[in-house]
Amino acid sequence: MSQRVAVIGAGMTKFVRRAQDSPGELAAQAVQMALDDAGMTIDDIDAVCLGTAPDAFDGVHMKGEHLIAGAGGTNKPYMRHYVGGGTGVMSPIHGWMHVASGKFDTCLVVTEEKMSPCNPHPAGAFLTIFDRVTEQPLELTLIHIFALEMARFMHVYGYTERDIAWVSANNKRNALDHPAAQIAQNITVDDVMASTLLSWPVKRLDISPTSDAAVAIIMSNERVARARKSCPVFVDGVGYRLDTAYWCTRDLAYPRYVAMAAQDAYKMAGVVDPARDIDIFEPYDPFDYKALHHMNGLLLDKTGRTVRELLESGAFERNGSHPLCPSGGALGVGNPIAATGLMKIAELYFQLSGQAGARQVAKKAHRGVAQAWGDLMQVGTVVVMSSEGSQPTFQSAWQSMEREDLGGTGIKNVEDGPHVCDEPELSYAWDNGEGITNYLDGLKKGKIRASYDRDGGRMMIPPRTFSEIYDLSPAGGYFDMPDTGTVMTYTLSHVNWDSSPLPDGKINIFAVIAVDAAGPNMGLVHMLGEVKPEDVKIGMRVRAVWKKAKDREGAITDILYFKPNNAEPDSALFPTPIKPVEINAVTAGQKCARIPLTYKYTAGVAGKAFCEALLEGRIVGTRSPRTERLLVPPSIYDEIGMDAVDHEEQLVDIDPNSGFLESFTTVHEDRSGEMLDQPLVIAQVRFPDVDGSIFGKLVLDAGDAPVIGAAVGLVKPASWSGPDDVSFKLL
Amino acid sequence: MGVAVMGVGICGFTPTSTGLSYREIIVKAAKMAYEDAGVSLDQIDGAVSVEEDFISGYSIADEYVPDQLGMVLKPIYTIPGDFLHGLSSAVMQIETGAFKVVVVQSYSKASNMLSKDELLRFAFDPVYNRLGVSPHWAAGIEMRSFLADSEYSLDDVAEVVVKNKANAIFNTNAPYGGDWKSRDVLESRPVATPITEAMIARHADGAVVVVLGIDEIAREYSRKPVYITGTGWGSGNSILERRDQADSIGTRIAAERAYAEAGIADPAREIDAFFISDIYAHRELMHAQALGLGGHDSVIINPNGGALGGGDLFEATGGARLYEAVTQLRGEAGACQIQAKRALVHGWRGIPTDSCAVAILDTERRAS
């Protein structure tokens, strides 16, 4: 137990807006590179762990399972983990557990995100991160809550938009030296300020892009590390903390969860004073203000003075005393969520072992910290890494790595090549339960309802049956609250939930409103109305404007918006106890919803070859050079040996009429579970001397009875739009 | 260092749980587990939740974990796997020495997910495998390959259903028990031949929370600690075209590690009861074979009725089996009680995967 753990190799693909490569192909290329970097083969790997954030990006349910082959996890202990946007730095922490526990000598840690299949825009995947009853009906998206947090951060710490824009310019400039970088640019603070306003205070150039990419690292125990690298980089400390999902109940200005995670990591690593003891900082920077916001947490300084001084003195430049995102960060390299965090870990590995080439910081750096963040502004994941002795000088391919040396193929348009469209019909009816039933009952009656946290002395909005911060103690009754409150933070939005622009001149104002008489920071998110955007201020008093009683249906949208209310909090306003709704077969309601996303998948690099051949009535595979396996369907990697396979040079034609039935099934239901009028036979067709098979429909003539081993041939398809166009017939 | 199950809690398992939100079923299971473990919230170092985005209906579902566990601001992460994957990760976490007491949580609101087949289809590769028919096709292909390749017959598969549903009659937490005959199974509606409707576990709602702790703490606080003497997990090929459809390699890899850790050489003789994933009836046989139980007719498998009797709880399914195993080892299994000192619990992710995990539970801390 408690083995010391090192990072001994790293690999990554290019970061691109839209990749031709399938998710598995992206992962495999990063894995191959990491194995080469560590001087290992997949046989040297004892376990694989994968970090990837929402399934809604790649558009595959249980996408960790889908990625096993590409991640090198076939026939191995393999496990996926996630904590939203914090996943990238959680990944090496989970890898650390594999090795530090003594269970495994080596662990391959892989992160992947292919955001581009998600339509209408990957940002749409964030609609369903919000509470389905209290928030989703307001059509919030990630930009909105970032903007709410940024506005609050600026208000509390006195930062201007220009101060913050410096981070964007710094990181994008640093990324000019990063081989994987997607949007490296030499820009100024003025450029950031002049970019399109999306949701004040957030502008286009404050934000990182959506990206497709994979990053992998190899972790090992000390014995393996010392045998392989002249300079292992050790993981000295790890920390991760998850705050409440009731994000309107806390001050967004300071990330206490990052500070607590950092404290855990520092304690483990023996870091006493982070500003003094840490040489390099890679905080998560999906938005420019986030880097400063997180640095307050990482430096354990709630006053924010240290970060302001470092920013103003130029210390955060790559050659400064406290280099900030020397990699170029999410803002410059790109932001394939989970892969971004691991890219930062890879950067610490490069920097601390002297492999960063043009990005190498000027100071002698021995210790660095990387951090990621995510969910509902709620999770902090932190890793402290260090090298030993003087800075090493060994030769490494990473020192002169060029963009063309990295895998991954960017494309302009998915529809230019073979692709599959899908519209999953995912529908739900969520049991509201007691707490939310009472909330919705209140809204229908024109009341904001809370439940009472007796131990905490606070009113809980929305009401819950338990106190999440005081020992899960049961709530002490339900109360109707005043419908007045104070604006804690706000944003002036020009975009919809799917990132499409609002009609010209329209601005949606979202605000977090602390409800009167509920307790500090107890509020809800809603919209403001009857106010000019320029007149909105933090601290402004507001009152709810309700729909007419006959139009109210028991939904958060029964409140149309909040409008300015000049009255100070009235001490006569107090919560009124009410008799709660009895939960019975009639009152126990459900919130119905469907997930409004559609997908467009590239066929992948090898898949493109497969589809093109199929349209000519041919079946192709690829020959894995080392194991000589003939892979069907074709692949650009051999998932057993994780060798690269050249999909052009190693492409092999297989006689489409040489197939035989490996197995088959007669299916009586359609994709949604309804009975089919005419059952369909699905066949698994194998070919001689081939490692693999093809699944497709079996077209039967009257009287045909399939048996295992029966000879079958491919039916040449007229067109190809997905697996349903593959069919076979008995010969 | 030994790791023990200090306490267990459940809510459910029932076909629906109308009137309680997912938060409300979890808080009930959590309270039960903490009381059972004899620990207060401030003694708990962290939590692992086990869930999948599209089943919970949330993107990055881990957001909604801390509150109803009473674990706001604690170290928490999510494992999208079977409950036993989460359990294995939590054990590993404790074995680093940095954590002493860790909670594992999962839940199912299957009744709230109205398009289960459509969702399962969405788990298949979009380019090669996402066919426009019921996703059970993959299980049909697999079962036919398994029967062709093994010594088991269709009747053996039917007998699994008969046994598990009969065992579930006496399980107060199992909604799908019954006195079925082999013929009822074989003649039930065909779904994806040779699979019939009765060979597929029906879904249920419920929550499972388990408190794990190091030996020293377990002995001090827990009413009846049960030791985890081995864990293992493994995955077969995710490329269905190149997977051996007749075998569960994932189970073999998982079992090999778990047996080695627990010092078990002859599982059929050394382990008293097996709680094995039976989401599809043929999978119980396939898993049992991969666990090294082939040819041992007398071993006890799923004495509480498995998922065929107790319901498919999505990721929480292995958690329900773990709960059953713990209560059996403690002698608290009521009318389902058997004589057992050592048990094996197995979980599987379901189609289209061959990802499995295994844990060995023991009334005593035996292996090194």
Side-chain angles (χ1 to χ4, degrees):
Chain A
M1 130 198 159
S2 247
Q3 299 277 326
R4 210 171 165 205
V5 183
V7 175
I8 59 170
M12 65 188 71
T13 65
K14 299 181 191 80
F15 286 34
V16 295
R17 170 66 184 87
R18 211 170 275 104
Q20 168 67 38
D21 317 64
S22 68
E25 289 173 340
L26 286 172
Q29 292 171 85
V31 166
Q32 285 158 356
M33 200 175 180
L35 288 169
D36 287 348
D37 191 41
M40 288 178 151
T41 71
I42 195 72
D43 295 337
D44 298 316
I45 299 297
D46 296 336
V48 180
C49 71
L50 176 93
T52 185
D55 288 359
F57 287 150
D58 295 61
V60 181
H61 170 44
M62 305 200 290
K63 77 165 155 168
E65 299 299 322
H66 183 237
L67 279 161
I68 290 171
T74 303
N75 300 344
K76 289 196 186 287
Y78 169 91
M79 216 190 292
R80 174 188 168 197
H81 52 264
Y82 68 112
V83 276
T87 303
V89 174
M90 190 67 222
S91 299
I93 299 176
H94 203 211
W96 170 84
M97 287 180 199
H98 279 70
V99 179
S101 63
K103 268 192 158 53
F104 303 98
D105 291 344
T106 57
C107 182
L108 166 63
V109 179
V110 187
T111 52
E112 181 276 350
E113 220 79 67
K114 186 168 180 183
M115 300 168 78
S116 61
C118 184
N119 284 296
H121 186 278
F126 294 111
L127 176 68
T128 53
I129 70 172
F130 294 100
D131 186 280
R132 54 179 70 105
V133 175
T134 59
E135 292 162 5
Q136 281 182 31
L138 301 171
E139 301 199 337
L140 288 163
T141 189
L142 209 60
I143 290 177
H144 298 135
I145 57 167
F146 273 110
L148 290 168
E149 191 181 67
M150 179 168 169
R152 182 78 196 161
F153 175 68
M154 288 165 59
H155 175 77
V156 170
Y157 290 101
Y159 281 107
T160 65
E161 289 173 65
R162 291 190 70 85
D163 295 336
I164 288 169
W166 180 89
V167 174
S168 182
N170 175 69
N171 292 11
K172 286 180 194 292
R173 187 171 53 246
N174 284 350
L176 288 166
D177 297 320
H178 199 294
Q182 179 182 344
I183 54 159
Q185 275 176 293
N186 218 336
I187 58 164
T188 64
V189 165
D190 288 333
D191 293 328
V192 178
M193 294 302 293
S195 64
T196 312
L197 182 61
L198 298 175
S199 192
W200 180 90
V202 172
K203 300 162 291 301
R204 172 69 67 201
L205 287 175
D206 289 314
I207 312 186
S208 59
T210 56
S211 314
D212 294 351
V215 178
I217 61 166
I218 315 277
M219 301 181 85
S220 77
N221 63 20
E222 189 168 5
R223 181 181 56 76
V224 173
R226 294 212 185 276
R228 287 189 183 261
K229 279 279 176 186
S230 53
C231 177
V233 176
F234 289 97
V235 172
D236 289 345
V238 303
Y240 52 101
R241 296 276 180 155
L242 187 59
D243 209 335
T244 173
Y246 297 110
W247 58 277
C248 295
T249 69
R250 48 188 157 89
D251 192 340
L252 301 175
Y254 182 69
R256 57 184 181 177
Y257 42 88
V258 170
M260 290 174 76
Q263 258 164 336
D264 293 341
Y266 297 159
K267 190 175 167 199
M268 206 181 276
V271 170
V272 179
D273 174 356
R276 184 197 67 198
D277 298 344
I278 294 175
D279 301 311
I280 297 179
F281 297 84
E282 278 282 351
Y284 194 38
D285 60 330
F287 285 51
D288 44 15
Y289 82 94
K290 287 300 315 185
L292 303 176
H293 185 254
H294 292 146
M295 282 301 288
N296 279 345
L298 288 173
L299 295 181
L300 310 177
D301 183 8
K302 199 173 177 179
T303 71
R305 278 186 215 111
T306 320
V307 171
R308 172 163 305 268
E309 282 165 19
L310 291 170
L311 177 68
E312 287 172 356
S313 68
F316 286 152
E317 287 175 24
R318 188 187 278 153
N319 292 332
S321 60
H322 293 70
L324 182 81
C325 297
S327 65
L331 287 160
V333 184
N335 195 10
I337 313 295
T340 311
L342 201 60
M343 180 276 287
K344 288 174 174 288
I345 295 290
E347 183 69 10
L348 292 188
Y349 162 66
F350 298 144
Q351 291 283 355
L352 298 173
S353 57
Q355 299 183 72
R359 297 189 314 286
Q360 192 71 45
V361 299
K363 71 190 285 196
K364 278 202 160 141
H366 299 299
R367 192 187 264 143
V369 65
Q371 172 259 340
W373 161 97
D375 288 341
L376 289 166
M377 302 178 283
Q378 160 192 22
V379 63
T381 51
V382 176
V383 167
V384 175
M385 290 165 60
S386 73
S387 57
E388 295 172 322
S390 60
Q391 199 159 344
T393 51
F394 72 94
Q395 288 297 307
S396 153
W398 281 107
Q399 286 154 346
S400 53
M401 193 73 74
E402 300 285 342
R403 188 160 171 82
E404 48 269 29
D405 299 331
L406 302 179
T409 307
I411 52 170
K412 281 264 178 274
N413 194 340
V414 175
E415 287 164 349
D416 291 345
H419 63 280
V420 179
C421 298
D422 200 1
E423 295 188 19
E425 269 301 320
L426 302 177
S427 55
Y428 305 84
W430 300 109
D431 293 321
N432 289 330
E434 181 189 310
I436 293 296
T437 297
N438 277 286
Y439 191 51
L440 299 181
D441 177 65
L443 291 168
K444 191 163 186 172
K445 292 171 179 160
K447 299 289 181 189
I448 296 173
R449 191 163 291 168
S451 61
Y452 183 47
D453 177 358
R454 209 182 296 279
D455 291 334
R458 46 176 207 149
M459 289 290 171
M460 301 186 287
I461 302 172
R464 28 236 193 231
T465 56
F466 56 88
S467 165
E468 76 278 9
I469 52 173
Y470 288 97
D471 288 337
L472 297 177
S473 59
Y478 291 86
F479 292 80
D480 282 345
M481 305 297 294
D483 63 356
T484 54
T486 304
V487 170
M488 301 301 289
T489 183
Y490 68 96
T491 176
L492 312 173
S493 177
H494 300 256
V495 293
N496 283 308
W497 66 274
D498 60 359
S499 275
S500 59
L502 287 171
D504 241 2
K506 184 163 164 47
I507 295 175
N508 285 336
I509 310 173
F510 292 99
V512 175
I513 296 152
V515 175
D516 287 343
N521 286 328
M522 181 59 75
L524 48 80
V525 62
H526 217 292
M527 302 181 77
L528 300 186
E530 294 183 44
V531 60
K532 288 184 189 152
E534 58 270 27
D535 291 341
V536 182
K537 296 280 176 293
I538 289 176
M540 190 169 88
R541 301 279 305 144
V542 290
R543 170 183 293 280
V545 177
W546 295 86
K547 279 184 183 167
K548 289 185 185 137
K550 66 175 173 53
D551 296 333
R552 291 200 291 260
E553 50 189 356
I556 191 66
T557 46
D558 289 343
I559 299 175
L560 290 167
Y561 49 82
F562 284 76
K563 70 171 184 182
N565 167 35
N566 291 328
E568 282 304 303
D570 183 347
S571 57
L573 292 175
F574 50 84
T576 313
I578 61 110
K579 180 183 175 183
V581 180
E582 180 194 271
I583 303 294
N584 60 36
V586 175
T587 60
Q590 284 89 28
K591 162 77 181 166
C592 293
R594 60 179 288 278
I595 293 183
L597 297 172
T598 62
Y599 291 91
K600 222 174 270 175
Y601 309 92
T602 64
V605 175
K608 185 167 181 281
F610 176 80
C611 298
E612 286 167 354
L614 194 73
L615 281 169
E616 296 171 359
R618 297 157 50 223
I619 287 177
V620 292
T622 47
R623 177 83 64 188
S624 176
R626 191 172 59 91
T627 62
E628 303 221 319
R629 295 167 75 214
L630 178 48
L631 305 172
V632 173
S635 181
I636 63 166
Y637 63 95
D638 177 338
E639 75 279 5
I640 302 297
M642 289 312 283
D643 310 288
V645 179
D646 188 312
H647 71 283
E648 286 169 349
E649 280 184 19
Q650 305 287 344
L651 202 67
V652 177
D653 257 274
I654 289 142
D655 178 0
N657 287 320
S658 67
F660 56 92
L661 276 187
E662 170 86 358
S663 184
F664 62 93
T665 177
T666 307
V667 185
H668 293 259
E669 295 179 359
D670 69 12
R671 58 188 261 186
S672 61
E674 297 297 318
M675 300 262 299
L676 286 166
D677 295 336
Q678 195 63 46
L680 278 172
V681 179
I682 303 298
Q684 181 179 15
V685 177
R686 200 170 279 282
F687 300 88
D689 306 318
V690 158
D691 211 325
S693 58
I694 301 286
F695 294 104
K697 288 178 192 155
L698 188 61
V699 184
L700 293 174
D701 293 328
D704 278 356
V707 289
I708 287 179
V712 294
L714 177 73
V715 179
K716 183 183 167 186
S719 62
W720 184 87
S721 61
D724 280 328
D725 290 324
V726 179
S727 49
F728 296 91
K729 60 178 189 297
L730 290 175
L731 293 178
Chain B
M1 183 199 310
V3 178
V5 176
M6 296 177 64
V8 288
I10 61 165
C11 180
F13 312 113
T14 49
T16 62
S17 50
T18 314
L20 294 170
S21 68
Y22 71 100
R23 290 184 188 279
E24 290 162 4
I25 60 170
I26 293 168
V27 81
K28 195 257 178 196
K31 270 285 183 192
M32 179 177 166
Y34 303 162
E35 289 289 326
D36 190 41
V39 293
S40 61
L41 273 162
D42 54 16
Q43 288 174 283
I44 299 174
D45 297 321
V48 176
S49 83
V50 185
E51 59 187 307
E52 285 283 359
D53 278 3
F54 281 113
I55 291 173
S56 80
Y58 282 120
S59 264
I60 43 179
D62 62 287
E63 300 169 331
Y64 293 96
V65 173
D67 299 292
Q68 52 276 8
L69 287 176
M71 305 277 276
V72 170
L73 282 169
K74 296 234 173 150
I76 297 177
Y77 58 94
T78 293
I79 298 290
D82 180 74
F83 191 93
L84 291 188
H85 286 93
L87 181 93
S88 301
S89 183
V91 168
M92 193 158 69
Q93 191 182 357
I94 292 172
E95 287 176 343
T96 65
F99 300 83
K100 291 186 170 67
V101 179
V102 175
V103 165
V104 187
Q105 176 263 131
S106 188
Y107 77 98
S108 159
K109 270 282 187 180
S111 66
N112 290 187
M113 210 295 138
L114 305 182
S115 43
K116 297 183 188 71
D117 285 353
E118 177 77 357
L119 176 60
L120 191 51
R121 175 185 168 276
F122 197 45
F124 285 66
D125 183 282
V127 178
Y128 294 107
N129 304 141
R130 201 176 285 175
L131 296 165
V133 294
S134 163
H136 294 300
W137 72 261
I141 291 269
E142 180 184 88
M143 176 167 163
R144 192 180 302 277
S145 285
F146 173 67
L147 291 183
D149 221 60
S150 71
E151 290 173 1
Y152 293 109
S153 67
L154 204 53
D155 287 332
D156 294 325
V157 176
E159 284 302 323
V160 168
V161 181
V162 171
K163 167 181 69 78
N164 289 359
K165 282 188 176 289
N167 286 346
I169 291 173
F170 295 102
N171 180 351
T172 50
N173 299 314
Y176 302 121
D179 187 11
W180 286 58
K181 302 282 180 291
S182 179
R183 192 196 59 198
D184 302 331
V185 177
L186 296 173
E187 293 180 3
S188 80
R189 194 173 59 83
V191 175
T193 62
I195 288 181
T196 66
E197 195 167 37
M199 296 174 189
I200 308 172
R202 297 168 64 183
H203 285 90
D205 290 359
V208 184
V209 175
V210 170
V211 181
L212 306 181
I214 59 168
D215 195 355
E216 294 73 16
I217 293 183
R219 277 180 207 280
E220 186 174 350
Y221 293 95
S222 172
R223 192 168 55 81
K224 276 188 185 175
V226 168
Y227 292 90
I228 301 174
T229 57
T231 57
W233 60 99
S235 289
N237 204 334
S238 59
I239 300 171
L240 295 184
E241 288 86 348
R242 296 202 275 278
R243 183 193 296 164
D244 180 354
Q245 300 281 339
D247 196 4
S248 175
I249 301 294
T251 299
R252 288 185 192 277
I253 295 163
E256 191 183 342
R257 286 202 71 89
Y259 289 155
E261 281 186 9
I264 288 169
D266 182 352
R269 196 175 52 79
E270 296 175 58
I271 297 172
D272 303 314
F274 295 83
F275 298 79
I276 301 178
S277 175
D278 59 336
I279 301 171
Y280 294 94
H282 74 276
R283 269 274 172 171
E284 179 175 304
L285 299 172
M286 190 195 282
H287 294 145
Q289 200 170 54
L291 289 168
L293 307 181
H296 296 274
D297 294 337
S298 58
V299 294
I300 296 173
I301 298 178
N302 289 330
N304 299 50
L308 287 161
D312 178 349
L313 303 170
F314 289 128
E315 298 80 48
T317 307
R321 299 294 84 74
L322 184 83
Y323 173 81
E324 291 163 0
V326 168
T327 51
Q328 287 283 6
L329 295 179
R330 287 168 164 187
E332 297 170 356
C336 294
Q337 188 66 53
I338 55 166
Q339 287 295 315
K341 286 187 175 333
R342 193 187 262 170
L344 178 147
V345 190
H346 167 275
W348 170 50
R349 300 300 318 283
I351 59 167
T353 86
D354 185 38
S355 290
C356 304
V358 165
I360 315 284
L361 303 184
D362 210 313
T363 52
E364 291 169 45
R365 188 182 159 187
R366 301 184 213 217
S368 59

